[in-house]
Amino acid sequence: MSSNIKIERICEWCGNRFMAQTTVTRFCSKRCAEHSYKERMRQKKMALSNQETSQWNPDRKARDKDFLTPTETAQYLGVCRTYIYDSINRGKIKVTRFGRNQPRM
């Protein structure tokens, strides 16, 4: 709430001195407030991503399954999918197909 008092503050984003009209003002301008907000959201997303990455364990996921798809195999080995498909075509990786897409003999 605005009042007649003026409080000298330092902006949390840019560090400039400014005169605040409320006791809770943190930034000197709307621009600094927006920059600070975007930085907080960026840090929040990065923290969430780091938390998900630290909890993700490909060994546990792979051990729970009897068979892996080429995409899951690539993630488990840390290579790209095309490398897995090339290895299958060269015969380095044994493949068994399930379902309707059985190879014709």
Side-chain angles (χ1 to χ4, degrees):
M1 180 155 226
S2 180
S3 66
N4 292 333
I5 63 171
K6 302 279 187 191
I7 303 169
E8 187 173 334
R9 292 280 179 118
I10 297 176
C11 179
E12 290 182 15
W13 180 254
C14 66
N16 292 335
R17 292 184 180 273
F18 69 100
M19 296 303 287
Q21 293 182 354
T22 66
T23 57
V24 295
T25 303
R26 297 170 45 200
F27 306 103
C28 63
S29 65
K30 184 175 186 287
R31 181 178 178 269
C32 286
E34 289 172 350
H35 281 285
S36 177
Y37 174 78
K38 282 186 84 169
E39 181 63 27
R40 281 194 316 271
M41 291 301 112
R42 188 178 302 120
Q43 293 298 329
K44 189 176 179 181
K45 283 182 184 180
M46 286 174 44
L48 180 63
S49 176
N50 290 339
Q51 181 183 7
E52 289 174 356
T53 302
S54 67
Q55 291 176 352
W56 185 74
N57 186 354
D59 293 337
R60 180 174 45 93
K61 186 176 178 181
R63 277 188 263 136
D64 292 344
K65 294 184 171 188
D66 293 331
F67 300 98
L68 299 174
T69 65
T71 303
E72 292 169 339
T73 305
Q75 288 176 346
Y76 181 71
L77 296 176
V79 296
C80 65
R81 240 179 17 168
T82 54
Y83 178 79
I84 298 298
Y85 284 114
D86 289 343
S87 298
I88 290 169
N89 290 334
R90 282 187 258 128
K92 290 186 174 184
I93 298 176
K94 184 179 177 186
V95 177
T96 303
R97 292 186 178 193
F98 297 103
R100 296 186 295 174
N101 295 332
Q102 297 286 334
R104 295 182 186 160
M105 300 208 179

